[in-house]
Amino acid sequence: MLKQYKLKNFKFVLVICIIVLNAIGVMLVGSASPNDQKKQLIGMISGLVIMMVLMWIDYSFILKFSWLLYLFSLALLILVRFAGDGSKGAQRWFEIGSFRFQPSELVKILLILFFSYYFMKHEEKINTPKTIIFSFILVGIPLALIILQPNLSMTIIIALVFAAMLFVAGLSYKIVVGVLATCVPAALIMISLIIQDKIPFIQSYQLGRIMAWLYPEDYPDIAYQQQNSIMAIGSGLLWGKGLNNTDATSVKNGKFILEPQNDFIFAVAGEEMGFAGTAVIIILLLLITIQCIFIARKAKDTAGKLICCGMAALIGFQSIVNIGVATGLLPNTGVTLPFVSYGLTSLWSLYIGIGFVLNVGLQPKKY
């Protein structure tokens, strides 16, 4: 389970980028919601400890229990469905005193570990119909449980990460092109059906967000958060208004965005740190993603490569969606900005995933 590792293989750049980004997140959370800053700082420190512990545990040993991790993921999602705490029409959390645990955040990481193992074991048969269909069934079960919460944004993120891992595992380009040729017109048809409210699994509030994104002037009561976010980012200009400012017209002081420390933390960053601050955040997220890919290239086996690429895809896609929502490029949806937004479950889950990435980096393949 534990091995002797060489310090030269430790990825200092990745860890430094994460610490700096998370520290910026703690400051932004403190400015947006002072009462949550202490919790976020505790989450950062404890997350770093979790990461450093997992970094020394051989990921190959953990992957021996992949099916148990998969079944544990399903158990969490089923349990929260029947015994979870409901809020705003969704049932996604467990309430433990003052702490709220969102199982789907942890499930993202567990599924990355599981499919890293599964695709490695079926690497030679990755393009056979049996392997592809069975993998879609395996990912479809947890996705169905998540969408029932309902949590469409999380479902989309996990589906994108799964697709990226399947491609990295060796899926044929012919299949990829065929799927894209089918999905593009299908997506256009689905968007048309969504606008006409003819998709049964789309909730009324989700339809409202899509319509408000397309026609904000016709849905001011729904579109106001995104519109205020766009104005806040623009008002920061180059250097921003400064952290913890007392400007009555700011998004946090004027209460123009609900819970800005979560999904719209990028709006707070744009307003208070300006273009320069948001650019730093984007660059750090990009560096973290690229570092995960670099580690994947030197992984000793396919499972290690897939763990790193899965985490790179998760951080990359989640960042794109969060920033896209804050800037009005995508419909409003509840996705946190990795290592920046407030949320202990999200933060700890990311640190768990990075812990495994660092362990992959400590075991590079021998040339």
Side-chain angles (χ1 to χ4, degrees):
M1 184 174 74
L2 297 176
K3 291 185 175 182
Q4 294 293 324
Y5 302 115
K6 296 180 180 179
L7 186 61
K8 68 176 184 178
N9 294 323
F10 182 74
K11 306 304 177 183
F12 288 98
V13 174
L14 175 59
V15 175
I16 290 171
C17 288
I18 289 172
I19 291 174
V20 173
L21 181 62
N22 205 172
I24 293 173
V26 170
M27 290 189 292
L28 287 172
V29 168
S31 182
S33 179
N35 293 333
D36 292 323
Q37 185 175 39
K38 183 178 179 180
K39 292 181 182 178
Q40 190 74 349
L41 181 59
I42 293 173
M44 175 182 175
I45 295 171
S46 56
L48 285 168
V49 172
I50 293 170
M51 179 189 74
M52 297 303 290
V53 170
L54 290 176
M55 180 186 74
W56 301 108
I57 301 176
D58 185 3
Y59 70 90
S60 300
F61 172 78
I62 299 296
L63 293 185
K64 292 179 180 179
F65 306 97
S66 293
W67 282 100
L68 289 177
L69 296 178
Y70 179 77
L71 294 175
F72 179 65
S73 299
L74 296 185
L76 283 176
L77 295 175
I78 293 171
L79 188 60
V80 78
R81 173 72 180 165
F82 295 101
D85 177 60
S87 177
K88 299 179 181 179
Q91 193 159 326
R92 309 171 185 171
W93 305 271
F94 289 120
E95 193 83 34
I96 307 172
S98 60
F99 173 67
R100 300 185 83 190
F101 169 64
Q102 188 173 356
S104 55
E105 291 285 354
L106 178 60
V107 166
K108 289 187 299 187
I109 308 302
L110 297 181
L111 288 179
I112 287 174
L113 295 176
F114 170 75
F115 281 109
S116 296
Y117 170 83
Y118 179 81
F119 289 146
M120 181 181 70
K121 289 297 182 181
H122 297 83
E123 188 173 8
E124 300 299 325
K125 301 178 181 178
I126 198 69
N127 290 300
T128 61
K130 179 180 178 181
T131 301
I132 294 174
I133 293 172
F134 194 55
S135 67
F136 271 80
I137 293 173
L138 288 171
V139 77
I141 297 172
L143 289 182
L145 291 171
I146 292 172
I147 205 170
L148 287 173
Q149 294 180 352
N151 194 343
L152 182 60
S153 56
M154 184 73 73
T155 305
I156 293 172
I157 293 295
I158 294 176
L160 288 172
V161 172
F162 168 80
M165 293 180 67
L166 183 57
F167 175 73
V168 173
L171 189 66
S172 170
Y173 284 96
K174 294 180 181 179
I175 297 176
V176 174
V177 172
V179 170
L180 288 176
T182 305
C183 287
V184 171
L188 296 175
I189 294 172
M190 180 168 287
I191 291 173
S192 176
L193 292 174
I194 288 174
I195 294 174
Q196 299 175 50
D197 196 14
K198 293 183 178 180
I199 302 293
F201 59 81
I202 296 293
Q203 303 292 318
S204 58
Y205 77 92
Q206 294 168 339
L207 175 62
R209 288 178 176 181
I210 294 172
M211 297 303 292
W213 173 62
L214 293 171
Y215 311 105
E217 65 280 356
D218 296 333
Y219 298 85
D221 293 341
I222 303 175
Y224 78 96
Q225 289 211 88
Q226 267 193 305
Q227 296 304 304
N228 289 340
S229 172
I230 295 169
M231 288 188 289
I233 293 171
S235 70
L237 300 178
L238 181 59
W239 300 109
K241 300 175 181 178
L243 290 169
N244 303 301
N245 70 77
T246 57
D247 188 342
T249 62
S250 71
V251 291
K252 67 179 196 302
N253 297 327
K255 306 296 182 184
F256 298 117
I257 293 178
L258 300 177
E259 299 185 357
Q261 73 276 18
N262 293 328
D263 304 335
F264 283 95
I265 195 72
F266 194 77
V268 178
E271 184 180 61
E272 301 194 344
M273 301 173 65
F275 175 80
T278 55
V280 169
I281 290 173
I282 292 172
I283 290 171
L284 286 171
L285 287 166
L286 181 60
L287 286 174
I288 292 169
T289 303
I290 292 173
Q291 281 293 309
C292 288
I293 295 173
F294 282 167
I295 296 172
R297 293 178 62 188
K298 296 182 178 180
K300 69 176 183 180
D301 56 21
T302 300
K305 178 175 69 174
L306 289 173
I307 288 173
C308 296
C309 289
M311 285 302 300
L314 174 60
I315 294 170
F317 286 133
Q318 199 163 310
S319 300
I320 290 171
V321 171
N322 180 278
I323 295 172
V325 168
T327 54
L329 297 175
L330 295 172
N332 189 0
T333 184
V335 173
T336 58
L337 187 60
F339 297 108
V340 181
S341 295
Y342 172 72
L344 298 188
T345 311
S346 174
L347 197 55
W348 285 336
S349 297
L350 288 168
Y351 274 116
I352 289 172
I354 293 297
F356 285 111
V357 171
L358 290 173
N359 182 259
V360 174
L362 287 172
Q363 305 182 66
K365 60 184 175 183
K366 298 178 181 178
Y367 295 95

